[in-house]
Amino acid sequence: MYKTLIRPRYSENDAAGHINNTVYAVWFEDARREIFKLFVPDLAPAPWNLLLVQSNITYKAEVTWVELVEVSTWVARVGNSSFTLYEEMRQEGTSRRFPKRPTFKSIQFLGLPLQFLHQSSKVWKNTQN
């Protein structure tokens, strides 16, 4: 399991006074950096051999910009050509606490070379005509 600390910025607040829901996907992506390094050690954009095929976020509680946020990331399932990660986010501190069930996110990656993906997309496009 990998743990990443995120320092929320005031600019990530919305009019309701909590972190905007669109920000969480960015934080989860940042927390996946160590997982990405297992596949692309230097994090170079080419050749990038991972494709995000599904992402789900379940919102359990609000997050504020006052306290640090801890994101835990781990591999939940490994298949033949894909794997599933789970991530959970917690905000500790004196001012706010998530309930016992933190915000969960499950994502599934397809680990195929980009050449294969480009070829597959061309084939798919040709079948749509």
Side-chain angles (χ1 to χ4, degrees):
M1 179 182 314
Y2 295 98
K3 293 189 182 245
T4 304
L5 285 178
I6 305 285
R7 180 176 304 278
R9 298 177 296 215
Y10 181 78
S11 62
E12 294 169 323
N13 274 328
D14 60 18
H18 56 77
I19 300 300
N20 188 283
N21 287 349
T22 62
V23 173
Y24 301 126
V26 175
W27 290 356
F28 282 128
E29 179 186 46
D30 188 48
R32 292 192 298 272
R33 181 180 306 263
E34 295 305 313
I35 299 284
F36 289 158
K37 283 182 181 178
L38 297 173
F39 295 89
V40 185
D42 63 357
L43 297 176
W48 193 261
N49 58 357
L50 298 173
L51 175 68
L52 178 65
V53 295
Q54 181 179 350
S55 178
N56 301 300
I57 299 176
T58 303
Y59 300 95
K60 302 281 187 174
E62 296 175 350
V63 175
T64 66
W65 72 279
V66 179
E67 305 290 342
L68 289 174
V69 173
E70 180 182 81
V71 181
S72 300
T73 305
W74 65 95
V75 177
R77 184 195 64 80
V78 177
N80 292 329
S81 62
S82 66
F83 61 98
T84 301
L85 300 178
Y86 280 100
E87 294 182 284
E88 78 179 27
M89 181 182 299
R90 294 181 184 271
Q91 186 173 48
E92 302 288 336
T94 56
S95 63
R96 310 258 321 151
R97 284 195 181 274
F98 272 122
K100 290 181 182 176
R101 293 183 183 169
T103 300
F104 280 98
K105 180 184 184 206
S106 68
I107 58 176
Q108 185 171 0
F109 280 94
L110 184 62
L112 296 173
L114 284 179
Q115 281 182 321
F116 175 80
L117 296 173
H118 290 304
Q119 290 170 353
S120 299
S121 66
K122 287 178 186 176
V123 169
W124 184 82
K125 285 178 185 175
N126 289 337
T127 64
Q128 301 304 306
N129 293 333

